[in-house]
Amino acid sequence: MAQTTTPSPSTDDPSPSTDDATPAPPAAGVPANAPDLARPTHAGPLATAQSQLAGAIERLGYDAGMHAMLATPRREVNVAIPLRRDDGSTELFHGFRVQHNVSRGPGKGGLRYHPSVDVDEVRALAMWMTWKCAVVELPYGGAKGGVAIDPRNYSQAELERVTRRYTSEIMPIIGPERDIMAPDIGTDDQTMAWVMDTYSVNQGYTIPGVVTGKPLEVGGSLGRATATSRGVVHATRAAIGEQGLSLADVRVAVQGFGKVGSHAADFFGDAGARVEAVSDQYGGVYRSGGLDVPRLLAHVRETGSVVGFAGSEPMDNADLLTLDVDVLVPAAVEGVITDVNADQVKARWVVEAANGPTTARADALLAERGVVVVPDILANAGGVIVSYFEWVQAQQAYWWTEAEIEQRLEERMIHAYDAVAQVARREKVALRDAALLLSVQRVAMAHKTRGLYP
Ligand code: GLU
């Protein structure tokens, strides 16, 4: 697996200097001098993220010191969040903010509310944000936040109190030049408005740049709500285009029908693709020849789920992942394509709208079978690209049109895809490995160029 050459992906990404080119130890695990927190302790998202990093470090020939630096979050805050419930009782939640790397700019990344959030998941998601921002050349590092809560079980007023308390606990480490939050699973534009308000009230003036993914009324950007999904469609178009196909030629299955999956299905349908199956947490639906996505969206608005959509057959999540389609789009959570089902995936392309949906072992199995995986850090980068546009607009107090945003989003997605595909061809590696080579090298070069203080 080790490559003897180091990639020099573009002129603005110089190859590593000779210091960096010290051969890495043959076993590309986490280096011995990395602190314990960088060690994967279970086969969850952090193990996947660490294994991906180890592969890139080995190919780039970086030494153990650089590996330890990139494997370890720069800063982590772990907070307890007491909530006064509407009925007067009290409940306690655990929350985290992890800044994985800030060598290329302020931390950037979402805030997740989900019952399975733990610090290792947040560490993995923060690391992926570092690579994601680097691969699409945004001037940011990577960060992520999370609160272990199931937002479906709490009222809006309770969620507001949780959000404001969480924000106030992590206040010293966030800010428009320090670390900028955005929505993720279980949070939305309203959550971001509460974060912005809490931060602004405490600073004494309005600071819209502390979060992105805000409502339009308080400095949000046109196009942000659908940006991740649009980016997924651009990435898919680019990937299948390499084989001379267009979206009108492919059948698509979308796993997860939340903010990202539902809009992606809609845009796929608009572009002429046949969206044959979609699923959500309650179940899935299938229709040979393609579902009528606008009608399905209306059904979801009415009933809260895709289940029972007229004219479709029921399909469970597991069967959707192994359905005979051309493009599989996992758009829910981490670790859904594993060594248990990777062998049965029939799609030729897996386009990762979710973060970390494919485990490291599943990735290897898919690669062996020639399945092309468009990796999360590239495929779902549309969201953070338009977050960047929102932040730039807020900093300048000058707002762009939706057409400008969509055009710039597409340009950046296609540019990043082409750069990654070029490295993949030159190095004869999968798109994920190429994306990681590019991004890890960009972060390492920023780190080296800045030098170590003191
Ligand atoms: N939560 C999204 C992601 O995982 C968006 C992050 C952002 O816009 O900062 O990419």
Side-chain angles (χ1 to χ4, degrees), residues 108-111 129 132 144 180-184 212 224 355 380 383-384 387:
K108 183 82 192 83
L111 170 63
M129 284 310 303
K132 193 184 300 187
K144 199 83 176 196
I180 305 133
M181 256 184 266
D184 196 81
T212 59
R224 175 62 186 85
N355 290 312
N380 72 31
V384 74
S387 276

mmCIF file of all heavy atoms in Angstrom, residues 108-111 129 132 144 180-184 212 224 355 380 383-384 387, ligand 1:
data_model
loop_
_atom_site.group_PDB
_atom_site.id
_atom_site.type_symbol
_atom_site.label_atom_id
_atom_site.label_comp_id
_atom_site.label_asym_id
_atom_site.label_seq_id
_atom_site.Cartn_x
_atom_site.Cartn_y
_atom_site.Cartn_z
ATOM 1 N N LYS A 108 -13.948 25.173 12.068
ATOM 2 C CA LYS A 108 -15.256 25.265 11.381
ATOM 3 C C LYS A 108 -15.909 23.911 11.452
ATOM 4 O O LYS A 108 -15.279 22.887 11.166
ATOM 5 C CB LYS A 108 -15.049 25.653 9.906
ATOM 6 C CG LYS A 108 -16.357 25.838 9.159
ATOM 7 C CD LYS A 108 -16.948 27.216 9.392
ATOM 8 C CE LYS A 108 -18.381 27.364 8.908
ATOM 9 N NZ LYS A 108 -19.390 26.865 9.888
ATOM 10 N N GLY A 109 -17.190 23.901 11.798
ATOM 11 C CA GLY A 109 -17.901 22.620 11.786
ATOM 12 C C GLY A 109 -19.197 22.683 12.554
ATOM 13 O O GLY A 109 -19.448 23.606 13.333
ATOM 14 N N GLY A 110 -20.008 21.690 12.305
ATOM 15 C CA GLY A 110 -21.376 21.686 12.797
ATOM 16 C C GLY A 110 -21.528 21.395 14.279
ATOM 17 O O GLY A 110 -20.562 21.094 14.999
ATOM 18 N N LEU A 111 -22.774 21.480 14.722
ATOM 19 C CA LEU A 111 -23.183 21.125 16.084
ATOM 20 C C LEU A 111 -24.262 20.062 15.953
ATOM 21 O O LEU A 111 -25.278 20.277 15.276
ATOM 22 C CB LEU A 111 -23.744 22.369 16.794
ATOM 23 C CG LEU A 111 -24.443 22.121 18.130
ATOM 24 C CD1 LEU A 111 -23.463 21.555 19.159
ATOM 25 C CD2 LEU A 111 -25.057 23.427 18.654
ATOM 26 N N MET A 129 -13.812 17.431 9.351
ATOM 27 C CA MET A 129 -14.009 18.841 8.947
ATOM 28 C C MET A 129 -12.674 19.473 8.532
ATOM 29 O O MET A 129 -12.629 20.277 7.604
ATOM 30 C CB MET A 129 -14.641 19.666 10.080
ATOM 31 C CG MET A 129 -16.124 19.460 10.318
ATOM 32 S SD MET A 129 -17.218 19.555 8.870
ATOM 33 C CE MET A 129 -16.872 21.192 8.231
ATOM 34 N N LYS A 132 -12.038 18.200 5.109
ATOM 35 C CA LYS A 132 -13.063 18.723 4.179
ATOM 36 C C LYS A 132 -12.749 20.175 3.794
ATOM 37 O O LYS A 132 -12.763 20.537 2.615
ATOM 38 C CB LYS A 132 -14.441 18.642 4.866
ATOM 39 C CG LYS A 132 -15.607 18.837 3.945
ATOM 40 C CD LYS A 132 -16.934 18.836 4.726
ATOM 41 C CE LYS A 132 -17.175 17.541 5.490
ATOM 42 N NZ LYS A 132 -18.535 17.507 6.096
ATOM 43 N N LYS A 144 -15.909 20.404 15.595
ATOM 44 C CA LYS A 144 -17.269 19.849 15.654
ATOM 45 C C LYS A 144 -17.752 19.946 17.084
ATOM 46 O O LYS A 144 -16.955 19.892 18.024
ATOM 47 C CB LYS A 144 -17.264 18.375 15.228
ATOM 48 C CG LYS A 144 -18.632 17.870 14.812
ATOM 49 C CD LYS A 144 -18.881 18.240 13.365
ATOM 50 C CE LYS A 144 -20.187 17.692 12.845
ATOM 51 N NZ LYS A 144 -20.213 17.734 11.376
ATOM 52 N N ILE A 180 -16.312 28.525 14.244
ATOM 53 C CA ILE A 180 -17.610 28.940 13.705
ATOM 54 C C ILE A 180 -18.506 27.720 13.552
ATOM 55 O O ILE A 180 -18.198 26.803 12.800
ATOM 56 C CB ILE A 180 -17.407 29.634 12.327
ATOM 57 C CG1 ILE A 180 -16.403 30.792 12.457
ATOM 58 C CG2 ILE A 180 -18.737 30.109 11.753
ATOM 59 C CD1 ILE A 180 -15.343 30.811 11.401
ATOM 60 N N MET A 181 -19.619 27.716 14.264
ATOM 61 C CA MET A 181 -20.532 26.564 14.232
ATOM 62 C C MET A 181 -21.498 26.634 13.061
ATOM 63 O O MET A 181 -21.694 27.679 12.458
ATOM 64 C CB MET A 181 -21.361 26.549 15.516
ATOM 65 C CG MET A 181 -20.907 25.514 16.496
ATOM 66 S SD MET A 181 -22.027 25.533 17.887
ATOM 67 C CE MET A 181 -21.185 26.614 18.979
ATOM 68 N N ALA A 182 -22.159 25.495 12.798
ATOM 69 C CA ALA A 182 -23.172 25.393 11.737
ATOM 70 C C ALA A 182 -24.115 24.250 12.121
ATOM 71 O O ALA A 182 -23.802 23.465 13.022
ATOM 72 C CB ALA A 182 -22.501 25.102 10.395
ATOM 73 N N PRO A 183 -25.230 24.113 11.433
ATOM 74 C CA PRO A 183 -26.123 22.995 11.753
ATOM 75 C C PRO A 183 -25.515 21.648 11.355
ATOM 76 O O PRO A 183 -24.676 21.558 10.473
ATOM 77 C CB PRO A 183 -27.370 23.268 10.897
ATOM 78 C CG PRO A 183 -27.279 24.687 10.471
ATOM 79 C CD PRO A 183 -25.824 25.008 10.415
ATOM 80 N N ASP A 184 -25.967 20.618 12.037
ATOM 81 C CA ASP A 184 -25.633 19.231 11.686
ATOM 82 C C ASP A 184 -26.874 18.421 12.076
ATOM 83 O O ASP A 184 -27.961 18.988 12.250
ATOM 84 C CB ASP A 184 -24.365 18.795 12.437
ATOM 85 C CG ASP A 184 -23.739 17.525 11.851
ATOM 86 O OD1 ASP A 184 -23.026 17.626 10.846
ATOM 87 O OD2 ASP A 184 -23.983 16.422 12.403
ATOM 88 N N THR A 212 -22.778 29.840 11.033
ATOM 89 C CA THR A 212 -23.341 29.861 9.686
ATOM 90 C C THR A 212 -24.541 28.914 9.664
ATOM 91 O O THR A 212 -24.765 28.166 10.621
ATOM 92 C CB THR A 212 -22.306 29.457 8.632
ATOM 93 O OG1 THR A 212 -21.836 28.137 8.947
ATOM 94 C CG2 THR A 212 -21.139 30.422 8.595
ATOM 95 N N ARG A 224 -27.946 28.310 1.438
ATOM 96 C CA ARG A 224 -27.220 27.493 2.417
ATOM 97 C C ARG A 224 -27.982 26.219 2.767
ATOM 98 O O ARG A 224 -27.399 25.147 2.914
ATOM 99 C CB ARG A 224 -26.934 28.302 3.703
ATOM 100 C CG ARG A 224 -26.292 27.496 4.845
ATOM 101 C CD ARG A 224 -24.947 26.938 4.456
ATOM 102 N NE ARG A 224 -24.351 26.048 5.460
ATOM 103 C CZ ARG A 224 -24.598 24.753 5.570
ATOM 104 N NH1 ARG A 224 -25.483 24.183 4.762
ATOM 105 N NH2 ARG A 224 -23.989 24.018 6.477
ATOM 106 N N ASN A 355 -21.404 12.031 6.792
ATOM 107 C CA ASN A 355 -20.014 11.977 7.218
ATOM 108 C C ASN A 355 -19.722 10.567 7.721
ATOM 109 O O ASN A 355 -20.440 10.034 8.561
ATOM 110 C CB ASN A 355 -19.775 12.974 8.355
ATOM 111 C CG ASN A 355 -19.835 14.410 7.868
ATOM 112 O OD1 ASN A 355 -19.216 14.763 6.872
ATOM 113 N ND2 ASN A 355 -20.616 15.243 8.568
ATOM 114 N N ASN A 380 -19.787 15.827 0.363
ATOM 115 C CA ASN A 380 -20.757 16.636 1.123
ATOM 116 C C ASN A 380 -20.204 18.009 1.509
ATOM 117 O O ASN A 380 -20.757 18.686 2.378
ATOM 118 C CB ASN A 380 -21.299 15.850 2.330
ATOM 119 C CG ASN A 380 -20.294 15.673 3.444
ATOM 120 O OD1 ASN A 380 -19.426 16.515 3.659
ATOM 121 N ND2 ASN A 380 -20.417 14.579 4.187
ATOM 122 N N GLY A 383 -22.067 22.032 1.799
ATOM 123 C CA GLY A 383 -22.605 22.731 2.976
ATOM 124 C C GLY A 383 -21.599 23.708 3.553
ATOM 125 O O GLY A 383 -21.901 24.892 3.758
ATOM 126 N N VAL A 384 -20.394 23.224 3.771
ATOM 127 C CA VAL A 384 -19.410 24.118 4.391
ATOM 128 C C VAL A 384 -18.904 25.141 3.377
ATOM 129 O O VAL A 384 -18.508 26.251 3.757
ATOM 130 C CB VAL A 384 -18.277 23.325 5.094
ATOM 131 C CG1 VAL A 384 -17.306 22.701 4.115
ATOM 132 C CG2 VAL A 384 -17.546 24.233 6.069
ATOM 133 N N SER A 387 -21.394 27.711 3.757
ATOM 134 C CA SER A 387 -21.137 28.314 5.077
ATOM 135 C C SER A 387 -20.047 29.367 4.969
ATOM 136 O O SER A 387 -20.125 30.445 5.558
ATOM 137 C CB SER A 387 -20.689 27.242 6.082
ATOM 138 O OG SER A 387 -21.792 26.591 6.658
HETATM 139 N N1 GLU B 1 -22.389 19.957 9.443
HETATM 140 C C1 GLU B 1 -21.994 20.157 8.084
HETATM 141 C C2 GLU B 1 -20.855 19.228 7.724
HETATM 142 O O1 GLU B 1 -20.663 18.210 8.338
HETATM 143 C C3 GLU B 1 -21.684 21.613 7.776
HETATM 144 C C4 GLU B 1 -20.522 22.203 8.513
HETATM 145 C C5 GLU B 1 -20.388 23.706 8.322
HETATM 146 O O2 GLU B 1 -21.046 24.265 7.479
HETATM 147 O O3 GLU B 1 -19.578 24.286 9.057
HETATM 148 O O4 GLU B 1 -20.159 19.438 6.765
#
